[in-house]
C-alpha cells in the first residue's frame, strides 16, 4: 500500500514539473518580436530568435511581427 502511494506521489511531482517547465519556455522566430509582460508592465523585449525563458504563471508573452513598424516621434504642435 505504501509503495503505490509513493509511486503516485512521485508521478504527481514529475507531472507538476513538466507542466511548470513547459509553461516557462517560449520561442521567438526570426521575423518576430516578443514582449514579456509582468502584471501588465513590459519587463523584457526579445528581438533575437531562439529559445527564451519567463516566470511561469506570472509572465505573459505577446508576439508581434517585425513587419510592424515602431516609431518614437516627439510630440509637436499643430496649427
Amino acid at each position: 500500500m505504501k509503495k503505490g502511494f509513493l509511486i503516485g506521489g512521485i508521478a504527481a511531482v514529475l507531472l507538476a514539473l513538466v507542466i511548470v517547465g513547459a509553461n516557462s519556455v517560449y520561442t521567438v522566430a526570426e521575423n518576430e518580436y516578443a514582449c514579456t509582460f509582468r502584471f501588465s508592465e513590459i519587463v523584457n523585449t526579445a528581438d533575437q530568435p531562439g529559445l527564451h525563458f519567463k516566470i511561469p504563471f506570472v509572465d505573459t508573452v505577446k508576439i508581434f511581427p517585425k513587419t510592424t513598424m515602431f516609431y518614437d516621434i516627439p510630440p509637436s504642435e499643430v496649427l
Side-chain angles (χ1 to χ4, degrees):
M1 185 77 166
K2 289 184 179 183
K3 188 174 185 178
F5 181 73
L6 181 64
I7 292 174
I10 291 172
V13 168
L14 287 177
L15 179 65
L17 286 175
V18 167
I19 290 171
V20 168
N23 203 3
S24 65
V25 175
Y26 65 96
T27 58
V28 177
E30 290 181 6
N31 60 348
E32 294 175 338
Y33 292 112
C35 290
T36 305
F37 293 90
R38 182 176 301 146
F39 304 119
S40 300
E41 292 184 13
I42 296 176
V43 293
N44 188 16
T45 303
D47 59 348
Q48 298 295 322
L51 189 65
H52 298 274
F53 298 96
K54 65 181 181 89
I55 299 173
F57 308 112
V58 175
D59 292 346
T60 57
V61 176
K62 184 159 173 95
I63 295 181
F64 300 98
K66 280 191 176 179
T67 56
T68 304
M69 302 298 282
F70 295 105
Y71 292 107
D72 289 333
I73 300 173
S76 62
E77 295 182 16
V78 178
L79 297 178

